Amino acid sequence: MIDELYMLRCLELAQKAKGFTAPNPMVGAILVYSNRIVGEGWHQQYGEAHAEINCLNNVLPEDRHLISESTMYVNLEPCAHNGNTPPCSVRLVEEKVKKVVICNKDPFEKVNGKGIQNLINNNIEIKTDLLSNAGLWLNRRFLCFHQLHRPYIILKWAQTLDSFIGQSNKQIQISNMVCKQLMHKWRTEEAAIIIGTKTALCDNPQLNARLWHGKNPLRIVIDRELKIPATNNIFDNSANTWIINKKKNEICNNINYIKLTFNYNIVSEILKLLFEAKIVSLIVEGGSQLLNSFIELELWDEARIFTGNTSLGNGIKSPSLTNSELVLNTEIEDNKLQLFTNKNNKYPFYPSLEL
Ligand code: AOF
Ligand code: ZN
């Protein structure tokens, strides 16, 4: 159907800004007059103009008189609030757009139906939920954050053919270079990344996105007793870093020591902090203890698992997912990448969009 084709174009435009809009959503918009696209736009960068505004501003002067007879397709309900920019629903009313077709409603409390209501009150025709599953997948981080009040959680590990993720006190490279680069790309797309003490001590990872172009995620390391030495890569100043510990609150350049009680569930305590800091997504990169804590608490949305082409014979067993569904199984040279989603997940995998 032509409507779906137009909405797919919005999603395609929206995705161009992947990694640059958080904590805000990815949004694309097009304006159609009599089967002709007369305007296109997308939200390009957090804090800048929304998709609908860029779309309207891109209509050529000679086509502007068509706006009041045109339909806007947009993958998220137009906003209703004055935030970084004025409300899009007001601009749509001012421009007298005839009809608005929407993929997903916006759960953000300042919008949450008010944008649609504003359009209806001004006699703009509305159609909602077009290709809604595709939009749910595209904006799963933003939607999860506002609906579940926690970041969207991605578990990631690399395992050997015989299902080991490493050996204690020894760093072992399991997956190949292409997987490593892909991992760096993924890091640019998420707001934060977390590891436990043992992983910091044993693997000494930098947790930044140096092999790709884009933003580094916030690095979070759990170091309850502050055992990690100052020479460790997490203190290399290449990214903002939180050290979750039991001893002190202190800010030192881009290192933020955050004291927590560790009295009850540390994972939930950290997720609460992340919600307050508007961190919409989190990659959990090990080790096995931390990954298993998220799995036991059913606090994960997707798992990305690399399988290398070697065996170890012994070592640290890879975590076992429960309630998972395999949605993608692909080869990356001599390695394998599997994507699992949590069956309770409200954001179903949509294969024709990117990961
Ligand atoms: C965007 N881009 O294209 C649309 C958004 O922080 P503000 O003031 O820019 O407002 C962000 C909210 O606006 C966001 O959480 C979402 O609810 C709504 N729509 N946001 O950044 C867009 N359409
Ligand atoms: Zn807006």
Side-chain angles (χ1 to χ4, degrees):
M1 226 175 75
I2 193 79
D3 266 5
E4 290 177 355
L5 192 70
Y6 289 144
M7 192 54 81
L8 277 175
R9 177 65 184 149
C10 294
L11 296 166
E12 195 175 73
L13 292 170
Q15 281 194 98
K16 285 176 185 267
K18 196 168 194 185
F20 296 97
T21 65
N24 284 349
M26 284 175 260
V27 188
I30 67 172
L31 193 71
V32 178
Y33 171 76
S34 180
N35 293 326
R36 179 161 75 88
I37 298 178
V38 292
E40 279 195 343
W42 67 97
H43 178 58
Q44 301 189 353
Q45 173 80 45
Y46 171 81
E48 292 181 4
H50 290 183
E52 303 90 316
I53 306 304
N54 284 332
C55 173
L56 288 164
N57 289 348
N58 282 337
V59 176
L60 295 173
E62 60 267 35
D63 285 335
R64 286 200 51 83
H65 69 284
L66 302 173
I67 294 178
S68 62
E69 286 303 314
S70 300
T71 298
M72 177 169 283
Y73 293 78
V74 57
N75 65 288
L76 193 71
E77 170 182 0
C79 66
H81 66 295
N82 271 297
N84 287 313
T85 60
C88 296
S89 56
V90 170
R91 172 77 182 268
L92 288 163
V93 169
E94 281 166 6
E95 298 268 10
K96 299 193 172 60
V97 172
K98 191 172 178 207
K99 181 174 172 183
V100 178
V101 181
I102 296 162
C103 178
N104 302 116
K105 296 195 187 108
D106 185 349
F108 175 48
E109 56 172 7
K110 289 189 176 162
V111 185
N112 200 14
K114 295 184 198 83
I116 290 179
Q117 198 52 53
N118 193 12
L119 300 176
I120 292 173
N121 292 347
N122 287 281
N123 302 317
I124 295 178
E125 221 181 301
I126 297 285
K127 179 173 170 181
T128 58
D129 295 312
L130 180 68
L131 287 185
S132 62
N133 276 353
L136 288 178
W137 179 253
L138 180 76
N139 275 317
R140 60 200 185 279
R141 301 160 180 87
F142 168 82
L143 296 168
C144 169
F145 181 82
H146 288 287
Q147 289 171 328
L148 303 180
H149 295 163
R150 64 157 172 82
Y152 184 85
I153 300 166
I154 299 168
L155 309 181
K156 179 260 157 182
W157 69 82
Q159 62 189 19
T160 58
L161 285 171
D162 49 355
S163 298
F164 293 104
I165 61 167
Q167 283 174 331
S168 44
N169 305 321
K170 192 152 86 186
Q171 198 205 356
I172 294 167
Q173 187 59 38
I174 294 173
S175 51
N176 66 32
M177 216 22 226
V178 187
C179 295
K180 185 168 178 177
Q181 189 145 21
L182 184 58
M183 183 58 215
H184 283 228
K185 175 177 185 283
W186 289 345
R187 286 176 179 170
T188 66
E189 293 163 2
E190 310 307 335
I193 183 164
I194 188 168
I195 57 167
T197 317
K198 279 193 205 138
T199 302
L201 289 173
C202 178
D203 291 355
N204 196 12
Q206 291 177 56
L207 301 181
N208 57 23
R210 63 198 175 280
L211 301 178
W212 203 255
H213 173 77
K215 280 197 305 217
N216 286 324
L218 168 71
R219 302 188 284 203
I220 305 168
V221 182
I222 304 177
D223 185 12
R224 185 182 149 128
E225 306 299 333
L226 294 179
K227 284 199 295 206
I228 301 172
T231 51
N232 193 283
N233 282 330
I234 57 155
F235 298 110
D236 68 5
N237 282 315
S238 69
N240 288 334
T241 305
W242 286 4
I243 310 286
I244 305 293
N245 71 93
K246 215 188 151 173
K247 303 209 151 156
K248 65 174 181 185
N249 276 315
E250 190 181 307
I251 296 179
C252 187
N253 298 323
N254 59 4
I255 309 286
N256 190 356
Y257 291 89
I258 300 176
K259 183 176 166 180
L260 294 180
T261 62
F262 285 79
N263 281 347
Y264 68 106
N265 179 346
I266 191 68
V267 166
S268 302
E269 262 190 290
I270 293 171
L271 292 179
K272 189 162 169 275
L273 272 185
L274 291 174
F275 180 71
E276 285 158 7
K278 294 198 170 64
I279 297 291
V280 292
S281 64
L282 175 69
I283 309 179
V284 184
E285 226 189 290
S288 79
Q289 200 184 326
L290 190 60
L291 286 160
N292 281 317
S293 311
F294 280 86
I295 294 169
E296 277 157 28
L297 292 163
E298 279 277 347
L299 282 167
W300 65 279
D301 299 287
E302 65 187 80
R304 302 176 181 184
I305 304 171
F306 291 118
T307 304
N309 69 346
T310 51
S311 294
L312 261 184
N314 59 63
I316 304 162
K317 266 280 168 207
S318 53
S320 306
L321 294 169
T322 47
N323 220 9
S324 64
E325 184 181 353
L326 178 65
V327 294
L328 181 75
N329 197 357
T330 181
E331 272 163 27
I332 297 180
E333 294 186 337
D334 57 348
N335 286 187
K336 192 164 79 175
L337 167 65
Q338 290 176 309
L339 174 68
F340 293 87
T341 52
N342 190 324
K343 280 188 184 153
N344 296 330
N345 197 321
K346 295 161 70 181
Y347 317 102
F349 177 60
Y350 198 82
S352 66
L353 294 178
E354 284 178 26
L355 255 192

